Amino acid sequence: FESPDVFLGRLTALRWSLVRQIMSAGEVSIRELARRVGRDVRRVHDDVLVLAELGLIERTTSGGVRCPFADIHVDMHLRKAG
């Protein structure tokens, strides 16, 4: 990512919650994922597209989603300007 702002701008609290839910569920359908988190299917679908684009989850051949990682570590380095 070109900056932490770009990454964090796309990884909202709701999307991070979806990643956690997917990690614990294994493969899960988008409809079931939406039910588990109490959200609209369409909005969850949109968030899943972003998370897949970020590389945090994968779509499966059966139409569900899964997280290919057992552990996700986010590390950022901030440096004083100038």
Side-chain angles (χ1 to χ4, degrees):
F1 297 91
E2 52 271 16
S3 73
D5 294 340
V6 172
F7 180 72
L8 294 174
R10 302 203 65 210
L11 189 58
T12 65
L14 288 173
R15 289 176 182 156
W16 192 244
S17 174
L18 289 177
V19 171
R20 277 182 281 171
Q21 187 65 228
I22 295 166
M23 285 179 83
S24 67
E27 184 177 344
V28 64
S29 72
I30 293 174
R31 184 170 303 281
E32 174 61 17
L33 181 60
R35 186 194 67 74
R36 289 182 184 196
V37 296
R39 293 184 52 207
D40 177 73
V41 173
R42 182 67 196 157
R43 298 217 185 257
V44 169
H45 179 268
D46 292 344
D47 285 344
V48 161
L49 292 177
V50 172
L51 292 170
E53 185 180 312
L54 290 172
L56 295 172
I57 63 170
E58 298 175 336
R59 299 296 301 263
T60 64
T61 56
S62 62
V65 293
R66 70 178 202 90
C67 181
F69 309 107
D71 182 59
I72 297 175
H73 176 85
V74 179
D75 187 20
M76 289 184 285
H77 182 87
L78 299 175
R79 182 175 298 166
K80 184 170 94 171

